[in-house]
Amino acid sequence: MKVFLNSFENSSSSITKNQVATILNKTIEEAGFKQEEFTDKELSISCVSEKEIKLLNKKYRGKDEATNVLSFGVDELLTKNLVIGDIVLCIEIIKKEAKEYSKDFENRLKHMIIHGFLHLLNFNHEAKHERIKMEKIEISILKNLGIKNPYA
């Protein structure tokens, strides 16, 4: 999979492109997909300000508030099945949440990358059973990365 990282250099994170690739590959496996299905796919991950993510959240989700991560899937027919979508991260909010939840910022950021990617893989947390399934996958991936359960 080809991954484009946008504005990551401004994120004050030390997460590398190789680490992001590892996170995404573990997510693919844990979610029950085969790596081969993603060989020719493209994914964009962008870091934006709190103001920018609030505008995106209002425009696309009708919620007039900032959030930690947004995922935007694409019409596969228009992109000829090449583009998976976009993950938009708000570093400011992720840092605030890490502090609020007493979590390491880098670990919280990795969690949000996984969370956003799972949304692009059609997982959601609208209903309780869906939330439990999604959280179980997130916990397993994070454990595999040596990160404690973020929900504990």
Side-chain angles (χ1 to χ4, degrees):
M1 175 171 32
K2 189 168 188 174
V3 179
F4 299 94
L5 299 180
N6 305 306
S7 301
F8 250 70
E9 64 280 354
N10 302 330
S11 73
S12 68
S13 166
S14 61
I15 296 175
T16 66
K17 192 169 188 174
N18 284 340
Q19 288 174 312
V20 171
T22 298
I23 291 165
L24 298 173
N25 288 332
K26 288 183 184 305
T27 304
I28 289 167
E29 291 170 13
E30 193 67 34
F33 294 92
K34 296 188 181 336
Q35 293 292 339
E36 307 84 67
E37 297 176 59
F38 294 84
T39 304
D40 297 328
K41 305 273 187 192
E42 295 179 357
L43 171 69
S44 168
I45 303 177
S46 302
C47 296
V48 300
S49 71
E50 202 166 333
K51 181 180 177 182
E52 290 172 289
I53 206 153
K54 182 178 180 180
L55 291 170
L56 290 170
N57 204 19
K58 184 173 184 180
K59 181 175 182 176
Y60 293 103
R61 296 182 66 227
K63 296 186 178 193
D64 192 17
E65 60 191 21
T67 188
N68 49 20
V69 61
L70 291 171
S71 299
F72 297 98
V74 295
D75 184 327
E76 292 179 358
L77 295 175
L78 292 176
T79 62
K80 298 182 175 142
N81 291 319
L82 295 177
V83 179
I84 298 170
D86 302 298
I87 298 171
V88 181
L89 301 161
C90 180
I91 298 301
E92 296 165 67
I93 291 179
I94 294 169
K95 282 182 180 178
K96 287 177 190 175
E97 289 175 343
K99 187 175 183 179
E100 179 183 341
Y101 305 142
S102 301
K103 305 290 181 189
D104 176 79
F105 163 66
E106 299 280 333
N107 292 346
R108 181 71 181 161
L109 179 57
K110 290 173 185 176
H111 181 196
M112 292 302 97
I113 292 169
I114 294 164
H115 187 87
F117 191 43
L118 284 171
H119 278 304
L120 291 177
L121 298 175
N122 293 315
F123 287 85
N124 69 66
H125 42 79
E126 299 302 315
K128 184 177 180 179
H129 72 279
E130 295 167 328
R131 179 183 52 79
I132 291 168
K133 183 178 181 180
M134 191 169 173
E135 286 178 3
K136 185 177 177 183
I137 292 170
E138 291 171 350
I139 292 165
S140 179
I141 296 163
L142 290 166
K143 182 179 180 183
N144 192 276
L145 294 169
I147 301 169
K148 293 179 182 176
N149 179 347
Y151 299 104

